[in-house]
Amino acid sequence: MLTLHRVRGVRPGHDGEPIAGYAVLVDGARLAAIGPYEELWAAYGDRARVREWDGVLTPGRYEPAGAALLESAYHPDPREADALGSEPLTGEALAALGMTETRWGASARRGLQRLLALGTTALTGPFTRPAVRTAVQRSGLAEPPGGRPRALTVGGAADFAVFAEDGSCLATVLAGRLVYRRR
């Protein structure tokens, strides 16, 4: 399915000013077109779903300490909030939990949701805990060679984030799938 993302501007790389009035067209897991919204609408509007975001579309955030964030802290389940609180646990509090691989996997999935809500589209390992590695692989987050997410290019992966004027994340898209949307 084609999805046309209409935004205030597109910043195809990590630097520079956004290009006002631009949009991106996603076809499956790939970027099918990047260009002026009016031109993309004229060419694909009758076949594309349109998503409108009041922000700037970019390649997303890169988290170089991804493995450390996910493997050195326990992200409590909301059902544990009364006993453990809602913030990640580290140090002695983490050691007291008696973590199993299953619990590490569930914690990693919750930690990944926090990263997606920040507009993270790439992170770095290596991941030493099998359950954490599996959670990251299933999430769709990339571990790009050289670190940072690749620039947005036609034919490239549809991995990007949309950021509001205040820097907060409005949406994160991985492989063309909307994986986070601010409500």
Side-chain angles (χ1 to χ4, degrees), residues 14 59-66 120-126 141-151 159:
H14 301 284
R61 286 185 63 242
Y62 164 61
E63 183 52 66
T120 304
T121 57
L123 48 76
T124 300
L141 279 168
E143 290 184 69
R148 298 177 77 173
R150 292 184 178 99
D159 296 340

Side-chain angles (χ1 to χ4, degrees), residues 16-97:
E17 292 298 313
I19 304 168
Y22 265 42
V24 299
L25 180 72
V26 175
D27 186 2
R30 298 277 170 213
L31 291 174
I34 302 171
Y37 172 76
E38 298 303 329
E39 289 178 18
L40 295 179
W41 172 253
Y44 303 100
D46 60 338
R47 300 179 312 211
R49 166 182 52 196
V50 177
R51 293 192 185 271
E52 296 195 30
W53 309 103
D54 187 21
V56 175
L57 191 146
T58 76
R61 286 185 63 242
Y62 164 61
E63 183 52 66
L69 286 171
L70 298 173
E71 293 190 345
S72 65
Y74 176 69
H75 300 270
D77 186 296
R79 297 171 291 188
E80 300 172 307
D82 288 343
L84 300 176
S86 60
E87 293 302 310
L89 302 175
T90 59
E92 290 179 19
L94 174 63
L97 289 177

